[in-house]
Amino acid sequence: MAAVNSKITLKLLIDARSHKVLFGEAGKDFIDFLFSLLTLPLGSVIKLLSPRTMIGSIGKLYQSVENLNEIYLVANRAKASLLQPEVSTSYVTNQLLLGTEATVMVPSVSSVELKYYLCNYCYKKVTTVRNTMCPSCKYAMVSDVAFVAPSGSASSVGAGNAGEGVGGFVKEVVTYMITDDLEVTPMSAISSITLVNRFIMKKDVQLEEKVVAVGMKEGLALLKASLDSPTALTDVFCQPNKKKAKPPS
Ligand SMILES: [Zn+2]
């Protein structure tokens, strides 16, 4: 639905007194984005968040590779494969939110155009280098075979929106509920009332609805918060001291 640069919106129920998010309500586009975070290679995550801000030691590990002279690397393994690993191309629209399009737009299948060679003796082994010996029958593998991208992958989704329900992960028809610690479930009246009640019982609350826009800045902040905070939505959208997230235009 959303054009490449348009922002995704997310509806939040917040407590204006404590500046906490009770839960959020969102459609397919936001949930697809959240789920797509799980498809990111660790190297990409560190690059996106900048190695220096990483909790733990993984940032140093990343920087070591960055600083290591190429002469120590096996020739066919470029640094780039560690520092900017290829992001799966199946979910292109979501990852645009993280500004990873530069790497995303290099589809592994179509641009590299790997050729595949089948063993035409056993028909069970395939390789990318012609004349490689089949490990089972010891014949040279020479039969050209073509790779067919499955439907729903990047090559078939193409640049446009593709059919509804083809791209991404979740179905369009359902509204989803997201808790502050990013538990995602299909929205149901009962579960949201239960959550609200639990919250109201605790203390005085001042419930407020707030619609926020999720763009690249918020996308990156969510990625970071998802890794180091149990209150990701509050951290990103409800910081009392920071300026408020702008409503969608
Ligand atoms: Zn064979």
Side-chain angles (χ1 to χ4, degrees):
M1 267 186 80
V4 164
N5 285 319
S6 78
K7 289 195 169 189
I8 289 171
T9 62
L10 166 68
K11 204 187 272 182
L12 298 171
L13 189 63
I14 60 169
D15 172 22
R17 289 228 173 106
S18 62
H19 300 282
K20 275 187 92 68
V21 172
L22 268 73
F23 61 87
E25 192 186 311
K28 170 180 168 57
D29 44 9
F30 183 70
I31 303 304
D32 278 345
F33 163 70
L34 281 184
F35 284 3
S36 74
L37 296 181
L38 299 173
T39 71
L40 293 175
L42 198 45
S44 310
V45 171
I46 297 161
K47 183 175 155 57
L48 282 168
L49 298 179
S50 123
R52 272 163 214 86
T53 69
M54 293 303 293
I55 285 184
S57 316
I58 194 83
K60 273 277 155 51
L61 181 63
Y62 186 94
Q63 285 174 295
S64 320
V65 175
E66 232 172 8
N67 298 334
L68 191 68
N69 195 304
E70 302 268 2
I71 59 167
Y72 297 107
L73 294 174
V74 176
N76 61 1
R77 266 173 231 156
K79 267 190 186 185
S81 67
L82 297 169
L83 301 177
Q84 297 134 53
E86 270 184 48
V87 174
S88 162
T89 53
S90 310
Y91 323 110
V92 171
T93 46
N94 302 312
Q95 278 157 351
L96 286 174
L97 212 49
L98 293 174
T100 53
E101 65 260 77
T103 43
V104 172
M105 286 313 184
V106 186
S108 50
V109 175
S110 52
S111 75
V112 177
E113 282 195 5
L114 278 180
K115 295 211 164 163
Y116 297 90
Y117 302 94
L118 181 74
C119 170
N120 55 2
Y121 208 79
C122 65
Y123 297 108
K124 279 182 180 155
K125 307 282 181 194
V126 70
T127 182
T128 53
V129 179
R130 198 168 194 274
N131 282 322
T132 300
M133 191 177 72
C134 171
S136 327
C137 26
K138 317 288 180 210
Y139 281 92
M141 302 163 75
V142 291
S143 272
D144 282 35
V145 288
F147 178 81
V148 178
S151 61
S153 75
S155 348
S156 58
V157 168
N161 292 326
E164 282 188 357
V166 174
F169 303 97
V170 294
K171 294 200 172 164
E172 183 111 47
V173 283
V174 188
T175 301
Y176 297 86
M177 185 164 103
I178 311 113
T179 61
D180 204 6
D181 56 355
L182 301 185
E183 183 181 334
V184 175
T185 47
M187 190 88 191
S188 93
I190 291 174
S191 52
S192 45
I193 290 168
T194 310
L195 256 180
V196 170
N197 275 339
R198 199 189 304 160
F199 208 81
I200 287 175
M201 283 201 315
K202 269 198 234 163
K203 55 191 171 224
D204 292 349
V205 288
Q206 191 186 329
L207 293 182
E208 239 172 52
E209 195 183 287
K210 178 175 173 182
V211 177
V212 293
V214 186
M216 201 174 121
K217 182 170 145 264
E218 293 80 8
L220 280 173
L222 272 170
L223 172 61
K224 175 136 183 54
S226 72
L227 292 170
D228 59 22
S229 167
T231 54
L233 293 182
T234 297
D235 292 2
V236 176
F237 300 107
C238 233
Q239 288 293 341
N241 301 325
K242 287 185 187 170
K243 61 176 195 264
K244 285 178 188 168
K246 276 177 279 168
S249 46

